[in-house]
Amino acid sequence: MPDSLHQFIDGRWVASRATRTLTIVDPYHEVPLGRVTAGDAQDVDAAVAAARRALPDWRDRPGDERGAWLDRLADDLAGRRGALMPLIARNGGKPLAEAAFDIDDAVACYRYYAVQARELDARQGASVTLDNDAVRARCYRDPVGVAALITPWNFPLVTSAWKLAPALAAGCTVVFKPSEVAPLPEQAIAEIAAAIELPRGVLNLINGDADGVGIPLSRHPGIDKLSFTGSNPAGEAVMRAAAEGTRNVSLELGGKSPILVLDDADPERAAERVMNGLFFNAGQVCSATSRLLVHQAIAEPLYAALTRRIDALVLGDPLDPATTQGPQVNRRQRERIAAYLAVARDEGLTALRDARHRDLPEHGYFIAPTLYRDVPTHSRLWREEIFGPVLCARQVADDAEAVALANDSDFGLAASVVGGDPERAARVARRLEAGNVWVNTDQIAPPQAAWGGVKRSGIGRELGPWGLAAYQEVKHLMATG
Ligand code: NAD
């Protein structure tokens, strides 16, 4: 059983003074998989102090050097792929192919920001054109300072890479708090920092839950920047904490994203997109397109194509290469989703597929892949993030109705459009209120492009130059001559 009863502070694994531990559970076998320390405010103090000590040196190193460290981190992470894949699959319940995606995308992200770090110095001091010859203005980008990075469990290496890589590239030092639900994969990041001898204190990792670590970390006055990915209630608490001391905050929160299937779409191809948009990672994806809006002309063939594909999903051991849907991450998540299914029964929703249509594996926190049709827009299942393999569908008469219903949501993280005419589909896409919109493609998030939500789905952007800017302050320097 892997244990991490230590915290990674100031370049070393140190014993926490906290005596409580958190048991990490394998959601397929429903047995303990490992333990981590339930850190406390003293651990947070020590980690923030280490990050503050490391800041002046790290900030002042040439971007080239920081880029080289990020490349070393990426190389070492890629080298651990074989060992990390089964660990991610066991801890999070993901099928192996999805675990591979978590590692490969994280490696790509570290490599992308290695290049960004190298290019940073050449862009420093860029002239600003003024209509006043008496003075000259230049722009510099300084790191914000010490950053607290708080992440969820659903893509452990990717969500952390999206924060760690740009923060370190920008010259920030960090205190990273992985989720207490599935933190075993992220321990590798601290192991790598130690193995490549990243300067002490630049990257600190504290294990623990929200009460022990998340809340003291977000309130700590030694933190200059808070970057949070997770649920809305927690994100709002982090934002309130950031208000103390007027600190910089970025939030990546929940979603209830729509997928629009236009009447010129091929139903079979559209069904592929709908499946990939919702059933990946057993629906535990922030950008999952969980609201299907299909033109009434092709609704029936699309539902038929979807039910065939849902029946073909293989629920089972995440380590079995044949498995296409693993268990939910823990008992709590399964119960949360089951509560929504009970609401659906109370509301009399029509299930084209649900638990009545298949036998679940004998153990594991499984939820049967579920498809409801004709879901009213006032239903809680239509409006709230379920974070499970539950697809809600309804028919629309035309593009205008599809857009209006798609935008009728508190959230705005992502959206998809599937249609035969790419120009018409792109026109529809432009009218959607979401940070990430895919047209006739699957949910992909390359490191060069932006990621983030509008409305209640968050504040700010990760990835691309925007992700780097989130860890930078712009300094405007004006001088005569
Ligand atoms: P969560 O909010 O329960 O926990 C996320 C992290 O925040 C954990 O590390 C947790 O310990 C910590 N935390 C919780 N309360 C806190 C508080 N008050 N102060 C400080 N830290 C606190 O979320 P989760 O269940 O781990 O993840 C699922 C949620 O994350 C979903 O809503 C999903 O949509 C969202 N998510 C969003 C994105 C995105 O890019 N927008 C990506 C992945 C997940």
Side-chain angles (χ1 to χ4, degrees), residues 355-392:
R356 289 167 308 165
H357 297 91
R358 71 159 65 228
D359 295 326
L360 293 179
E362 282 170 11
H363 53 81
Y365 304 124
F366 286 94
I367 292 278
T370 300
L371 167 59
Y372 295 112
R373 62 172 296 169
D374 309 318
V375 179
T377 58
H378 58 74
S379 167
R380 280 184 59 202
L381 280 88
W382 186 260
R383 309 211 72 86
E384 297 176 15
E385 183 179 49
I386 299 174
F387 225 54
V390 181
L391 177 61
C392 293

Side-chain angles (χ1 to χ4, degrees), residues 420-442:
D421 172 1
E423 283 181 21
R424 173 182 163 200
R427 272 197 307 277
V428 169
R430 288 280 295 125
R431 290 157 60 200
L432 296 175
E433 295 165 358
N436 316 289
V437 186
W438 296 281
V439 177
N440 288 332
T441 180
D442 284 326

Side-chain angles (χ1 to χ4, degrees), residues 70 73 77 101-113 116 147-152 154-170 174 176 186 189 225-230 250-253 280 285-287 413-414 435-436 438 443-453 457 460-471:
L70 285 170
L73 204 158
L77 183 59
F101 157 88
D102 192 46
I103 302 165
D104 297 343
D105 269 28
V107 169
C109 180
Y110 287 111
R111 293 211 195 288
Y112 170 75
Y113 282 109
Q116 294 293 305
L149 313 178
I150 301 178
T151 58
N154 60 336
F155 292 98
L157 296 182
V158 164
T159 49
S160 52
W162 288 8
K163 300 185 188 307
L164 283 163
L168 297 180
V174 304
F176 165 38
E186 291 100 319
I189 300 298
K225 160 88 197 182
L226 282 154
S227 179
F228 174 86
T229 300
S250 301
L251 301 174
E252 295 287 345
L253 307 179
F280 195 79
V285 180
C286 52
S287 54
L413 184 56
N436 316 289
W438 296 281
Q443 297 216 358
I444 45 173
Q448 299 80 4
W451 181 269
S457 289
R461 289 292 177 275
E462 295 197 305
L463 298 182
W466 308 275
L468 186 67
Y471 295 93

Side-chain angles (χ1 to χ4, degrees), residues 269-284:
R269 278 201 219 146
E272 283 300 314
R273 305 260 176 256
V274 175
M275 293 297 293
N276 293 341
L278 190 274
F279 293 102
F280 195 79
N281 203 25
Q284 301 165 128

